[in-house]
Amino acid sequence: MSQLPSTYADLLAAVDAGTDGREIRDPATGETIGHAPRDTTEDLDDAIAAATAAQPAWGRRSHKERSDLLLRAADALEACAEPLAELLSREQGKPLNGPNARFEVGACASWLRATAGFELEENVLVDDGETHAVLRYRPIGVVGAISPWNWPMMISVWQLAPALRMGNTVVTKPSEYTPLSVLALCAVLNSVFPDDVLRVVSGEREIGSALSSHPDIDKVMFTGSTATGRKIIESSAETIKRLTLELGGNDPGIVLEDADPVAIAEDLFWGAFINTGQTCAALKRLYVPDSLYDDVCAALVDVAGKMPMGVGLEEENVLGPLQNKAQYDVVDRLVEAAKDGGAKVLVGGNPDTDQPGFFYPTTLVADIDPDNPLVTEEQFGPALPIIRYSTLDEAIEAANSVDVGLGASVWSSDPDRAREVAARIESGTIWINGHGGVDPRIPFGGVKKSGYGLEFGVEGLKGLGLPQVISG
Ligand code: NAD
Protein backbone atom coordinates (compact mmCIF):
# COMPACT_ATOMS: atom_id res chain seq x y z
CA MET A 1 0.00 0.00 0.00
CA SER A 2 1.55 3.27 -1.01
CA GLN A 3 -0.73 5.72 0.80
CA LEU A 4 -2.03 5.51 4.33
CA PRO A 5 -5.82 5.12 4.48
CA SER A 6 -7.35 8.25 5.94
CA THR A 7 -10.91 6.99 6.29
CA TYR A 8 -12.63 3.84 7.47
CA ALA A 9 -13.79 3.12 3.90
CA ASP A 10 -10.22 3.38 2.57
CA LEU A 11 -8.93 1.10 5.30
CA LEU A 12 -11.60 -1.52 4.70
CA ALA A 13 -11.05 -1.33 0.93
CA ALA A 14 -7.35 -2.04 1.49
CA VAL A 15 -8.10 -5.40 3.15
CA ASP A 16 -11.54 -6.55 1.97
CA ALA A 17 -11.43 -9.71 -0.13
CA GLY A 18 -14.77 -9.06 -1.84
CA THR A 19 -17.70 -11.42 -1.94
CA ASP A 20 -15.51 -14.44 -2.74
CA GLY A 21 -14.06 -14.04 0.74
CA ARG A 22 -15.44 -15.21 4.07
CA GLU A 23 -18.16 -12.97 5.42
CA ILE A 24 -17.30 -11.18 8.68
CA ARG A 25 -20.18 -9.88 10.80
CA ASP A 26 -20.40 -7.27 13.52
CA PRO A 27 -21.06 -9.16 16.80
CA ALA A 28 -23.13 -6.23 18.11
CA THR A 29 -25.56 -5.96 15.20
CA GLY A 30 -25.10 -8.99 12.98
CA GLU A 31 -24.41 -6.67 10.00
CA THR A 32 -21.82 -7.71 7.44
CA ILE A 33 -18.65 -5.65 7.81
CA GLY A 34 -16.50 -7.12 5.06
CA HIS A 35 -14.92 -10.28 3.72
CA ALA A 36 -11.69 -11.98 4.75
CA PRO A 37 -9.44 -13.73 2.24
CA ARG A 38 -9.74 -17.51 2.20
CA ASP A 39 -6.02 -18.16 2.18
CA THR A 40 -4.92 -21.73 1.52
CA THR A 41 -1.93 -23.76 2.64
CA GLU A 42 -0.33 -22.87 -0.73
CA ASP A 43 -0.72 -19.19 0.19
CA LEU A 44 0.89 -19.98 3.53
CA ASP A 45 3.80 -21.73 1.81
CA ASP A 46 4.28 -18.71 -0.46
CA ALA A 47 4.25 -16.30 2.49
CA ILE A 48 6.77 -18.40 4.42
CA ALA A 49 9.02 -18.67 1.35
CA ALA A 50 8.94 -14.89 0.88
CA ALA A 51 9.62 -14.23 4.58
CA THR A 52 12.48 -16.75 4.47
CA ALA A 53 14.02 -14.97 1.48
CA ALA A 54 13.66 -11.57 3.16
CA GLN A 55 15.16 -12.61 6.51
CA PRO A 56 18.94 -12.50 5.87
CA ALA A 57 18.93 -8.87 4.69
CA TRP A 58 16.59 -7.84 7.52
CA GLY A 59 18.72 -9.70 10.06
CA ARG A 60 21.87 -7.94 8.81
CA ARG A 61 20.41 -4.50 9.51
CA SER A 62 21.51 -2.96 12.77
CA HIS A 63 19.27 -2.80 15.84
CA LYS A 64 19.19 0.96 15.30
CA GLU A 65 17.83 0.63 11.75
CA ARG A 66 15.18 -1.86 12.78
CA SER A 67 14.23 0.24 15.80
CA ASP A 68 13.87 3.32 13.61
CA LEU A 69 11.45 1.42 11.40
CA LEU A 70 9.43 0.33 14.45
CA LEU A 71 9.20 3.99 15.47
CA ARG A 72 8.03 4.98 12.00
CA ALA A 73 5.49 2.15 12.12
CA ALA A 74 4.14 3.59 15.39
CA ASP A 75 3.74 6.98 13.68
CA ALA A 76 1.89 5.36 10.77
CA LEU A 77 -0.47 3.59 13.19
CA GLU A 78 -1.23 6.82 14.97
CA ALA A 79 -1.96 8.54 11.67
CA CYS A 80 -4.64 5.87 11.00
CA ALA A 81 -5.79 5.47 14.61
CA GLU A 82 -9.45 6.39 14.14
CA PRO A 83 -10.19 4.14 11.13
CA LEU A 84 -8.28 1.29 12.81
CA ALA A 85 -10.28 1.73 16.03
CA GLU A 86 -13.54 1.80 14.09
CA LEU A 87 -12.75 -1.43 12.25
CA LEU A 88 -11.62 -3.07 15.49
CA SER A 89 -14.81 -1.97 17.21
CA ARG A 90 -17.03 -3.26 14.43
CA GLU A 91 -15.25 -6.58 14.05
CA GLN A 92 -14.35 -7.43 17.64
CA GLY A 93 -17.35 -5.71 19.21
CA LYS A 94 -15.42 -3.68 21.78
CA PRO A 95 -16.56 -0.08 22.22
CA LEU A 96 -14.49 2.80 20.94
CA ASN A 97 -14.28 4.24 24.44
CA GLY A 98 -13.23 2.90 27.83
CA PRO A 99 -10.26 0.50 27.89
CA ASN A 100 -11.30 -0.76 24.48
CA ALA A 101 -10.74 -0.01 20.76
CA ARG A 102 -9.04 3.40 20.87
CA PHE A 103 -7.07 2.21 23.88
CA GLU A 104 -5.98 -0.93 21.98
CA VAL A 105 -4.77 1.01 18.92
CA GLY A 106 -2.91 3.39 21.24
CA ALA A 107 -1.31 0.42 23.01
CA CYS A 108 -0.07 -0.94 19.66
CA ALA A 109 1.82 2.31 19.03
CA SER A 110 3.16 2.35 22.62
CA TRP A 111 4.43 -1.22 22.34
CA LEU A 112 6.15 -0.54 19.02
CA ARG A 113 7.91 2.48 20.52
CA ALA A 114 8.89 0.74 23.74
CA THR A 115 10.17 -2.31 21.85
CA ALA A 116 12.29 -0.03 19.67
CA GLY A 117 13.88 1.46 22.78
CA PHE A 118 15.07 -1.61 24.70
CA GLU A 119 18.83 -2.24 24.80
CA LEU A 120 20.06 -5.79 24.42
CA GLU A 121 23.84 -5.59 24.61
CA GLU A 122 26.30 -8.46 24.49
CA ASN A 123 26.69 -9.69 28.05
CA VAL A 124 30.28 -10.33 29.16
CA LEU A 125 29.91 -13.38 31.42
CA VAL A 126 33.54 -13.92 32.37
CA ASP A 127 36.57 -11.75 31.71
CA ASP A 128 39.25 -12.76 34.23
CA GLY A 129 42.38 -12.61 32.13
CA GLU A 130 42.20 -16.32 31.27
CA THR A 131 38.69 -16.68 29.94
CA HIS A 132 36.62 -14.24 27.94
CA ALA A 133 33.00 -15.37 27.50
CA VAL A 134 30.13 -13.35 26.08
CA LEU A 135 26.46 -14.14 25.61
CA ARG A 136 24.79 -12.57 22.59
CA TYR A 137 21.53 -13.07 20.68
CA ARG A 138 21.18 -13.74 16.96
CA PRO A 139 17.99 -13.74 14.90
CA ILE A 140 16.12 -17.04 14.97
CA GLY A 141 14.79 -16.91 11.40
CA VAL A 142 11.10 -16.84 10.47
CA VAL A 143 8.65 -16.47 13.35
CA GLY A 144 5.06 -17.73 13.08
CA ALA A 145 2.69 -15.57 15.13
CA ILE A 146 -0.75 -16.96 15.98
CA SER A 147 -3.19 -14.68 17.78
CA PRO A 148 -6.66 -14.82 19.38
CA TRP A 149 -9.77 -12.69 18.83
CA ASN A 150 -10.00 -10.75 22.10
CA TRP A 151 -7.20 -8.16 21.60
CA PRO A 152 -6.36 -8.98 18.00
CA MET A 153 -4.28 -5.93 17.11
CA MET A 154 -2.48 -5.52 20.42
CA ILE A 155 -1.54 -9.18 20.80
CA SER A 156 -0.31 -9.28 17.18
CA VAL A 157 1.96 -6.32 17.94
CA TRP A 158 3.17 -8.02 21.13
CA GLN A 159 4.30 -10.90 18.92
CA LEU A 160 5.60 -9.17 15.83
CA ALA A 161 7.33 -6.10 17.30
CA PRO A 162 10.02 -7.94 19.31
CA ALA A 163 10.36 -10.55 16.56
CA LEU A 164 11.13 -7.89 13.95
CA ARG A 165 13.33 -5.91 16.29
CA MET A 166 15.52 -9.00 16.80
CA GLY A 167 16.03 -9.46 13.06
CA ASN A 168 13.46 -12.16 12.40
CA THR A 169 10.83 -11.96 9.69
CA VAL A 170 7.23 -12.79 10.63
CA VAL A 171 4.29 -14.66 9.18
CA THR A 172 1.23 -13.88 11.27
CA LYS A 173 -2.08 -15.72 11.37
CA PRO A 174 -4.97 -13.86 12.98
CA SER A 175 -7.95 -15.50 14.57
CA GLU A 176 -10.61 -16.51 12.07
CA TYR A 177 -13.02 -14.31 14.11
CA THR A 178 -11.01 -11.08 13.74
CA PRO A 179 -8.93 -11.27 10.55
CA LEU A 180 -9.80 -7.85 9.13
CA SER A 181 -8.42 -6.00 12.17
CA VAL A 182 -5.05 -7.72 11.84
CA LEU A 183 -4.96 -7.40 8.05
CA ALA A 184 -5.60 -3.67 8.44
CA LEU A 185 -2.98 -3.35 11.17
CA CYS A 186 -0.39 -5.11 9.00
CA ALA A 187 -1.34 -3.07 5.92
CA VAL A 188 -0.53 0.08 7.87
CA LEU A 189 2.71 -1.37 9.30
CA ASN A 190 3.74 -2.56 5.83
CA SER A 191 3.56 0.99 4.53
CA VAL A 192 6.82 1.34 6.48
CA PHE A 193 8.50 -2.09 6.55
CA PRO A 194 10.47 -3.56 3.62
CA ASP A 195 8.67 -6.13 1.48
CA ASP A 196 8.00 -9.57 2.96
CA VAL A 197 9.42 -8.80 6.39
CA LEU A 198 5.87 -9.07 7.74
CA ARG A 199 3.31 -11.29 6.01
CA VAL A 200 -0.27 -12.10 7.04
CA VAL A 201 -2.11 -15.27 6.15
CA SER A 202 -5.83 -15.19 6.88
CA GLY A 203 -7.25 -18.61 7.54
CA GLU A 204 -8.88 -20.91 10.02
CA ARG A 205 -7.50 -23.50 12.38
CA GLU A 206 -5.90 -25.62 9.65
CA ILE A 207 -3.73 -22.68 8.61
CA GLY A 208 -2.60 -22.27 12.23
CA SER A 209 -1.86 -25.95 12.39
CA ALA A 210 0.09 -25.87 9.09
CA LEU A 211 2.05 -22.85 10.32
CA SER A 212 3.03 -24.49 13.58
CA SER A 213 4.26 -27.65 11.85
CA HIS A 214 5.94 -25.95 8.87
CA PRO A 215 9.61 -26.90 8.48
CA ASP A 216 10.66 -23.33 7.62
CA ILE A 217 9.09 -21.72 10.70
CA ASP A 218 11.74 -21.48 13.40
CA LYS A 219 9.72 -20.16 16.31
CA VAL A 220 6.02 -19.91 17.15
CA MET A 221 4.62 -17.10 19.25
CA PHE A 222 1.17 -18.30 20.28
CA THR A 223 -1.54 -16.64 22.33
CA GLY A 224 -4.81 -18.49 22.76
CA SER A 225 -6.40 -21.34 24.65
CA THR A 226 -4.57 -24.01 26.60
CA ALA A 227 -6.16 -26.70 24.39
CA THR A 228 -4.72 -25.14 21.22
CA GLY A 229 -1.37 -24.55 22.95
CA ARG A 230 -1.14 -28.28 23.60
CA LYS A 231 -1.80 -28.99 19.90
CA ILE A 232 0.92 -26.53 18.91
CA ILE A 233 3.42 -28.26 21.18
CA GLU A 234 2.54 -31.52 19.44
CA SER A 235 2.62 -30.17 15.88
CA SER A 236 5.92 -28.32 16.43
CA ALA A 237 7.65 -31.31 18.04
CA GLU A 238 8.88 -32.85 14.79
CA THR A 239 10.90 -29.74 13.91
CA ILE A 240 11.80 -28.84 17.54
CA LYS A 241 10.55 -25.28 17.21
CA ARG A 242 11.09 -22.71 19.88
CA LEU A 243 7.78 -21.72 21.46
CA THR A 244 6.36 -18.90 23.52
CA LEU A 245 2.92 -19.92 24.75
CA GLU A 246 0.54 -17.43 26.38
CA LEU A 247 -2.46 -19.58 27.20
CA GLY A 248 -5.66 -19.48 29.21
CA GLY A 249 -6.05 -18.18 32.73
CA ASN A 250 -8.47 -18.16 35.63
CA ASP A 251 -7.03 -15.31 37.65
CA PRO A 252 -7.92 -14.99 41.34
CA GLY A 253 -8.10 -11.74 43.27
CA ILE A 254 -7.87 -11.76 47.07
CA VAL A 255 -9.23 -8.83 49.06
CA LEU A 256 -7.57 -8.53 52.47
CA GLU A 257 -9.47 -7.46 55.59
CA ASP A 258 -7.86 -4.01 55.67
CA ALA A 259 -9.02 -3.00 52.16
CA ASP A 260 -11.50 -0.17 51.61
CA PRO A 261 -14.39 -1.62 49.55
CA VAL A 262 -15.57 1.65 48.05
CA ALA A 263 -12.04 2.83 47.22
CA ILE A 264 -11.14 -0.39 45.35
CA ALA A 265 -14.49 -1.09 43.68
CA GLU A 266 -13.88 0.64 40.35
CA ASP A 267 -10.44 -0.93 39.88
CA LEU A 268 -11.86 -4.31 40.86
CA PHE A 269 -14.60 -3.83 38.29
CA TRP A 270 -12.24 -3.01 35.43
CA GLY A 271 -9.86 -5.77 36.51
CA ALA A 272 -12.69 -8.20 35.82
CA PHE A 273 -14.71 -6.52 33.08
CA ILE A 274 -12.02 -5.00 30.84
CA ASN A 275 -12.94 -5.84 27.23
CA THR A 276 -16.24 -7.14 28.63
CA GLY A 277 -14.34 -9.87 30.49
CA GLN A 278 -12.72 -11.26 27.33
CA THR A 279 -9.17 -10.83 28.56
CA CYS A 280 -6.65 -13.53 29.37
CA ALA A 281 -5.38 -11.84 32.51
CA ALA A 282 -8.70 -10.51 33.78
CA LEU A 283 -9.87 -11.06 37.33
CA LYS A 284 -12.05 -14.16 37.04
CA ARG A 285 -12.60 -15.19 40.71
CA LEU A 286 -12.81 -12.71 43.57
CA TYR A 287 -12.15 -13.89 47.15
CA VAL A 288 -13.50 -11.58 49.87
CA PRO A 289 -13.28 -11.99 53.67
CA ASP A 290 -16.50 -12.40 55.70
CA SER A 291 -15.94 -9.03 57.35
CA LEU A 292 -16.04 -7.10 54.04
CA TYR A 293 -18.19 -9.40 51.94
CA ASP A 294 -21.45 -7.44 51.88
CA ASP A 295 -19.68 -4.09 51.44
CA VAL A 296 -17.54 -5.28 48.51
CA CYS A 297 -20.60 -6.81 46.82
CA ALA A 298 -22.59 -3.61 47.27
CA ALA A 299 -19.75 -1.40 45.99
CA LEU A 300 -19.31 -3.58 42.89
CA VAL A 301 -23.05 -3.54 42.15
CA ASP A 302 -22.94 0.23 42.41
CA VAL A 303 -20.05 0.55 39.93
CA ALA A 304 -21.56 -2.02 37.54
CA GLY A 305 -24.75 0.06 37.34
CA LYS A 306 -22.78 3.01 35.96
CA MET A 307 -21.10 1.20 33.06
CA PRO A 308 -23.20 1.25 29.86
CA MET A 309 -23.10 -1.74 27.52
CA GLY A 310 -24.09 -1.52 23.88
CA VAL A 311 -23.00 -1.12 20.27
CA GLY A 312 -19.33 -0.17 20.24
CA LEU A 313 -19.59 2.77 17.84
CA GLU A 314 -21.98 4.58 20.20
CA GLU A 315 -19.62 6.82 22.15
CA GLU A 316 -21.28 6.41 25.56
CA ASN A 317 -20.72 2.64 25.78
CA VAL A 318 -17.79 1.11 27.65
CA LEU A 319 -18.89 -2.55 27.53
CA GLY A 320 -19.82 -4.48 24.39
CA PRO A 321 -21.06 -7.86 23.21
CA LEU A 322 -19.25 -11.17 23.42
CA GLN A 323 -17.28 -11.52 20.23
CA ASN A 324 -18.90 -14.74 19.08
CA LYS A 325 -21.74 -17.12 19.77
CA ALA A 326 -19.49 -19.90 21.09
CA GLN A 327 -18.13 -17.56 23.78
CA TYR A 328 -21.63 -16.30 24.58
CA ASP A 329 -22.70 -19.91 25.13
CA VAL A 330 -19.78 -20.53 27.51
CA VAL A 331 -20.74 -17.54 29.67
CA ASP A 332 -24.44 -18.47 29.60
CA ARG A 333 -23.70 -22.09 30.57
CA LEU A 334 -21.47 -21.08 33.48
CA VAL A 335 -23.92 -18.53 34.89
CA GLU A 336 -26.70 -21.12 34.64
CA ALA A 337 -24.42 -23.58 36.50
CA ALA A 338 -23.98 -20.98 39.24
CA LYS A 339 -27.74 -20.50 39.53
CA ASP A 340 -28.31 -24.26 39.57
CA GLY A 341 -25.73 -24.50 42.36
CA GLY A 342 -27.72 -22.09 44.52
CA ALA A 343 -25.60 -18.96 44.02
CA LYS A 344 -27.19 -15.54 44.24
CA VAL A 345 -27.13 -13.33 41.13
CA LEU A 346 -26.66 -9.78 42.40
CA VAL A 347 -26.98 -8.17 38.98
CA GLY A 348 -27.32 -9.46 35.39
CA GLY A 349 -27.55 -13.15 34.54
CA ASN A 350 -30.66 -12.77 32.45
CA PRO A 351 -29.76 -12.00 28.81
CA ASP A 352 -32.31 -10.42 26.50
CA THR A 353 -32.48 -13.03 23.74
CA ASP A 354 -34.62 -10.81 21.48
CA GLN A 355 -31.82 -8.26 21.17
CA PRO A 356 -29.54 -8.61 18.11
CA GLY A 357 -25.88 -9.32 18.87
CA PHE A 358 -24.14 -11.48 21.46
CA PHE A 359 -24.83 -9.23 24.43
CA TYR A 360 -24.58 -10.83 27.86
CA PRO A 361 -25.32 -8.40 30.70
CA THR A 362 -22.75 -7.47 33.33
CA THR A 363 -23.21 -10.21 35.93
CA LEU A 364 -22.08 -10.39 39.56
CA VAL A 365 -22.62 -13.67 41.38
CA ALA A 366 -22.41 -13.98 45.19
CA ASP A 367 -22.67 -16.76 47.77
CA ILE A 368 -21.25 -19.24 45.28
CA ASP A 369 -19.78 -22.62 46.12
CA PRO A 370 -15.97 -22.48 45.55
CA ASP A 371 -16.24 -25.65 43.46
CA ASN A 372 -18.92 -24.30 41.13
CA PRO A 373 -17.92 -24.36 37.41
CA LEU A 374 -18.23 -20.54 37.23
CA VAL A 375 -15.32 -20.49 39.70
CA THR A 376 -13.22 -23.40 38.46
CA GLU A 377 -13.52 -22.80 34.68
CA GLU A 378 -12.44 -19.78 32.64
CA GLN A 379 -15.62 -17.80 31.81
CA PHE A 380 -13.90 -15.26 29.49
CA GLY A 381 -16.87 -12.93 29.65
CA PRO A 382 -18.77 -10.45 31.81
CA ALA A 383 -19.64 -12.66 34.80
CA LEU A 384 -17.68 -12.44 38.05
CA PRO A 385 -18.10 -14.92 40.93
CA ILE A 386 -17.47 -13.40 44.39
CA ILE A 387 -16.44 -16.07 46.87
CA ARG A 388 -16.55 -15.61 50.64
CA TYR A 389 -13.58 -16.72 52.79
CA SER A 390 -12.93 -17.01 56.53
CA THR A 391 -9.15 -17.36 56.80
CA LEU A 392 -6.41 -16.03 54.55
CA ASP A 393 -4.82 -19.49 54.28
CA GLU A 394 -8.11 -20.80 52.95
CA ALA A 395 -8.24 -18.01 50.31
CA ILE A 396 -4.65 -18.62 49.17
CA GLU A 397 -5.25 -22.35 48.94
CA ALA A 398 -8.36 -21.71 46.84
CA ALA A 399 -6.51 -19.21 44.63
CA ASN A 400 -3.83 -21.85 43.93
CA SER A 401 -6.27 -24.71 43.41
CA VAL A 402 -6.57 -24.46 39.60
CA ASP A 403 -4.14 -25.79 37.00
CA VAL A 404 -3.53 -22.39 35.32
CA GLY A 405 -1.53 -19.46 36.66
CA LEU A 406 -1.44 -16.35 34.48
CA GLY A 407 -2.23 -13.38 36.75
CA ALA A 408 -3.59 -12.70 40.23
CA SER A 409 -4.13 -9.73 42.51
CA VAL A 410 -4.10 -8.79 46.19
CA TRP A 411 -6.10 -5.81 47.47
CA SER A 412 -5.07 -4.12 50.71
CA SER A 413 -4.35 -0.77 52.36
CA ASP A 414 -0.95 -2.16 53.37
CA PRO A 415 1.21 -2.78 50.25
CA ASP A 416 3.91 -4.64 52.22
CA ARG A 417 1.41 -7.10 53.62
CA ALA A 418 -0.14 -7.45 50.14
CA ARG A 419 3.30 -8.27 48.68
CA GLU A 420 3.82 -11.01 51.29
CA VAL A 421 0.51 -12.58 50.34
CA ALA A 422 1.33 -12.14 46.62
CA ALA A 423 4.53 -14.19 47.00
CA ARG A 424 2.40 -17.19 48.06
CA ILE A 425 0.26 -17.17 44.89
CA GLU A 426 1.11 -19.48 41.98
CA SER A 427 0.83 -17.07 39.03
CA GLY A 428 3.20 -15.43 36.57
CA THR A 429 2.20 -11.90 37.66
CA ILE A 430 0.55 -10.75 40.88
CA TRP A 431 -0.72 -7.17 40.91
CA ILE A 432 -1.27 -5.15 44.10
CA ASN A 433 -4.47 -3.05 44.18
CA GLY A 434 -5.05 -3.49 40.48
CA HIS A 435 -5.48 -6.36 38.04
CA GLY A 436 -4.26 -6.94 34.50
CA GLY A 437 -2.29 -3.74 33.95
CA VAL A 438 0.46 -4.68 31.50
CA ASP A 439 3.48 -2.53 30.76
CA PRO A 440 5.86 -2.98 27.80
CA ARG A 441 8.86 -2.70 30.17
CA ILE A 442 7.72 -5.46 32.53
CA PRO A 443 7.91 -9.13 31.50
CA PHE A 444 4.63 -11.01 31.32
CA GLY A 445 3.98 -14.74 31.09
CA GLY A 446 2.17 -17.60 32.73
CA VAL A 447 3.00 -20.60 34.88
CA LYS A 448 1.32 -24.01 35.12
CA LYS A 449 -0.97 -24.60 32.09
CA SER A 450 -1.02 -20.86 31.29
CA GLY A 451 2.08 -21.52 29.24
CA TYR A 452 5.76 -20.65 29.20
CA GLY A 453 8.11 -17.98 27.94
CA LEU A 454 8.06 -14.28 28.69
CA GLU A 455 6.89 -11.38 26.55
CA PHE A 456 7.78 -7.66 26.86
CA GLY A 457 10.90 -5.85 27.96
CA VAL A 458 14.42 -7.11 27.45
CA GLU A 459 13.35 -10.60 28.58
CA GLY A 460 10.83 -10.60 25.73
CA LEU A 461 13.53 -9.67 23.20
CA LYS A 462 15.68 -12.56 24.46
CA GLY A 463 12.79 -14.92 23.70
CA LEU A 464 13.04 -13.89 20.06
CA GLY A 465 16.77 -14.42 19.72
CA LEU A 466 19.03 -17.43 19.61
CA PRO A 467 21.42 -17.30 22.55
CA GLN A 468 25.03 -17.73 21.43
CA VAL A 469 28.03 -17.97 23.72
CA ILE A 470 31.48 -17.06 22.41
CA SER A 471 34.13 -18.21 24.83
CA GLY A 472 37.88 -18.37 24.65
P1 NAD B 1 -7.94 -20.40 20.36
O1 NAD B 1 -6.89 -21.23 20.98
O2 NAD B 1 -9.22 -21.03 19.98
O3 NAD B 1 -7.41 -19.70 19.02
C1 NAD B 1 -6.24 -18.91 19.01
C2 NAD B 1 -5.60 -18.98 17.64
O4 NAD B 1 -5.11 -20.30 17.40
C3 NAD B 1 -6.52 -18.65 16.47
O5 NAD B 1 -5.81 -17.86 15.54
C4 NAD B 1 -6.84 -20.02 15.89
O6 NAD B 1 -7.16 -20.02 14.52
C5 NAD B 1 -5.52 -20.73 16.11
N1 NAD B 1 -5.61 -22.20 16.12
C6 NAD B 1 -6.69 -22.96 16.40
N2 NAD B 1 -6.36 -24.27 16.34
C7 NAD B 1 -5.06 -24.33 16.02
C8 NAD B 1 -4.13 -25.39 15.84
N3 NAD B 1 -4.49 -26.67 15.97
N4 NAD B 1 -2.85 -25.08 15.55
C9 NAD B 1 -2.45 -23.79 15.44
N5 NAD B 1 -3.29 -22.74 15.59
C10 NAD B 1 -4.58 -23.01 15.88
O7 NAD B 1 -8.15 -19.18 21.38
P2 NAD B 1 -9.23 -18.00 21.30
O8 NAD B 1 -10.58 -18.59 21.58
O9 NAD B 1 -9.01 -17.22 20.06
O10 NAD B 1 -8.78 -17.10 22.54
C11 NAD B 1 -9.27 -17.27 23.83
C12 NAD B 1 -8.26 -17.96 24.71
O11 NAD B 1 -7.00 -17.32 24.61
C13 NAD B 1 -8.62 -17.88 26.19
O12 NAD B 1 -8.37 -19.13 26.79
C14 NAD B 1 -7.65 -16.85 26.74
O13 NAD B 1 -7.39 -16.96 28.13
C15 NAD B 1 -6.46 -17.07 25.90
N6 NAD B 1 -5.62 -15.87 25.86
C16 NAD B 1 -4.43 -15.89 26.51
C17 NAD B 1 -3.64 -14.74 26.54
C18 NAD B 1 -2.32 -14.72 27.27
O14 NAD B 1 -1.56 -13.76 27.12
N7 NAD B 1 -2.00 -15.74 28.04
C19 NAD B 1 -4.07 -13.60 25.87
C20 NAD B 1 -5.30 -13.62 25.21
C21 NAD B 1 -6.06 -14.78 25.20
Side-chain angles (χ1 to χ4, degrees):
M1 189 176 56
S2 52
Q3 245 191 329
L4 284 178
S6 57
T7 65
Y8 173 77
D10 290 345
L11 185 70
L12 188 61
V15 298
D16 194 273
T19 47
D20 287 346
R22 198 164 51 81
E23 192 174 38
I24 302 292
R25 289 172 179 266
D26 183 333
T29 61
E31 285 165 16
T32 300
I33 319 168
H35 298 82
R38 298 177 191 271
D39 288 340
T40 62
T41 49
E42 287 73 35
D43 297 318
L44 177 71
D45 288 343
D46 289 349
I48 295 174
T52 303
Q55 194 279 324
W58 179 247
R60 278 194 300 272
R61 291 188 184 220
S62 65
H63 276 288
K64 164 98 178 58
E65 282 179 272
R66 292 193 297 258
S67 289
D68 286 348
L69 285 165
L70 292 185
L71 295 175
R72 282 181 49 204
D75 294 342
L77 270 190
E78 277 173 350
C80 303
E82 265 310 285
L84 284 167
E86 183 174 341
L87 179 56
L88 178 61
S89 178
R90 286 178 191 262
E91 184 178 52
Q92 204 285 334
K94 63 181 68 189
L96 288 172
N97 287 322
N100 292 299
R102 289 182 176 126
F103 168 86
E104 181 168 349
V105 174
C108 291
S110 303
W111 249 267
L112 284 163
R113 290 212 171 89
T115 306
F118 300 135
E119 299 287 341
L120 181 54
E121 307 289 349
E122 284 191 357
N123 182 9
V124 179
L125 304 169
V126 182
D127 187 16
D128 61 4
E130 280 181 32
T131 303
H132 181 84
V134 295
L135 173 63
R136 60 194 297 272
Y137 290 86
R138 301 164 53 221
I140 305 174
V142 183
V143 171
I146 304 175
S147 55
W149 47 258
N150 57 341
W151 294 90
M153 290 187 185
M154 187 173 76
I155 290 175
S156 297
V157 168
W158 289 357
Q159 298 174 334
L160 66 87
L164 292 173
R165 165 69 203 278
M166 291 301 289
N168 307 289
T169 52
V170 174
V171 176
T172 186
K173 194 213 81 73
S175 167
E176 52 276 32
Y177 291 111
T178 50
L180 298 176
S181 297
V182 177
L183 284 161
L185 168 88
C186 292
V188 173
L189 298 179
N190 276 332
S191 69
V192 168
F193 294 139
D195 287 349
D196 298 327
V197 155
L198 170 63
R199 292 287 298 254
V200 198
V201 181
S202 158
E204 306 204 27
R205 292 170 175 259
E206 354 23 288
I207 296 291
S209 178
L211 182 67
S212 58
S213 58
H214 199 287
D216 295 331
I217 292 288
D218 301 294
K219 160 130 196 173
V220 175
M221 298 286 289
F222 173 71
T223 299
S225 63
T226 298
T228 306
R230 194 175 284 118
K231 286 187 191 148
I232 288 177
I233 295 170
E234 286 166 5
S235 61
S236 65
E238 181 62 28
T239 46
I240 323 251
K241 290 188 202 319
R242 278 141 190 84
L243 300 177
T244 295
L245 300 175
E246 297 284 3
L247 309 179
N250 190 355
D251 288 11
I254 302 179
V255 176
L256 304 188
E257 278 187 331
D258 62 5
D260 176 343
V262 173
I264 62 175
E266 190 160 337
D267 287 338
L268 275 176
F269 179 85
W270 282 117
F273 291 93
I274 182 169
N275 201 26
T276 315
Q278 302 161 103
T279 298
C280 52
L283 171 52
K284 292 172 182 158
R285 308 173 273 151
L286 181 62
Y287 294 89
V288 180
D290 287 325
S291 59
L292 294 184
Y293 193 81
D294 292 343
D295 290 347
V296 169
C297 288
L300 276 171
V301 169
D302 187 45
V303 174
K306 296 175 185 153
M307 302 296 175
M309 177 183 283
V311 175
L313 295 185
E314 293 169 7
E315 298 275 349
E316 71 274 19
N317 292 324
V318 291
L319 297 163
L322 274 308
Q323 202 283 328
N324 54 70
K325 177 70 164 64
Q327 195 57 48
Y328 176 98
D329 289 344
V330 169
V331 176
D332 193 37
R333 170 176 67 77
L334 291 175
V335 174
E336 289 307 311
K339 289 183 194 165
D340 291 347
K344 182 173 164 193
V345 176
L346 299 174
V347 62
N350 196 13
D352 174 0
T353 46
D354 293 336
Q355 189 185 15
F358 306 127
F359 286 99
Y360 197 93
T362 304
T363 300
L364 294 166
V365 178
D367 297 328
I368 185 165
D369 180 339
D371 296 326
N372 189 277
L374 180 61
V375 179
T376 58
E377 294 179 32
E378 184 186 36
Q379 69 276 50
F380 216 64
L384 178 67
I386 309 168
I387 308 117
R388 187 189 288 273
Y389 76 82
S390 305
T391 68
L392 184 57
D393 284 347
E394 180 196 309
I396 294 171
E397 192 182 327
N400 290 338
S401 66
V402 296
D403 65 357
V404 285
L406 192 56
S409 55
V410 181
W411 303 75
S412 166
S413 304
D414 178 349
D416 288 337
R417 180 149 177 265
R419 279 189 273 272
E420 277 171 32
V421 174
R424 297 174 61 193
I425 300 178
E426 297 165 358
S427 295
T429 302
I430 298 97
W431 290 278
I432 310 292
N433 293 329
H435 198 116
V438 286
D439 180 319
R441 299 165 302 177
I442 301 175
F444 174 75
V447 299
K448 297 176 159 177
K449 290 181 184 151
S450 290
Y452 46 76
L454 288 171
E455 295 186 275
F456 315 161
V458 175
E459 293 308 317
L461 289 187
K462 289 179 184 172
L464 283 148
L466 284 181
Q468 180 183 54
V469 173
I470 299 181
S471 176

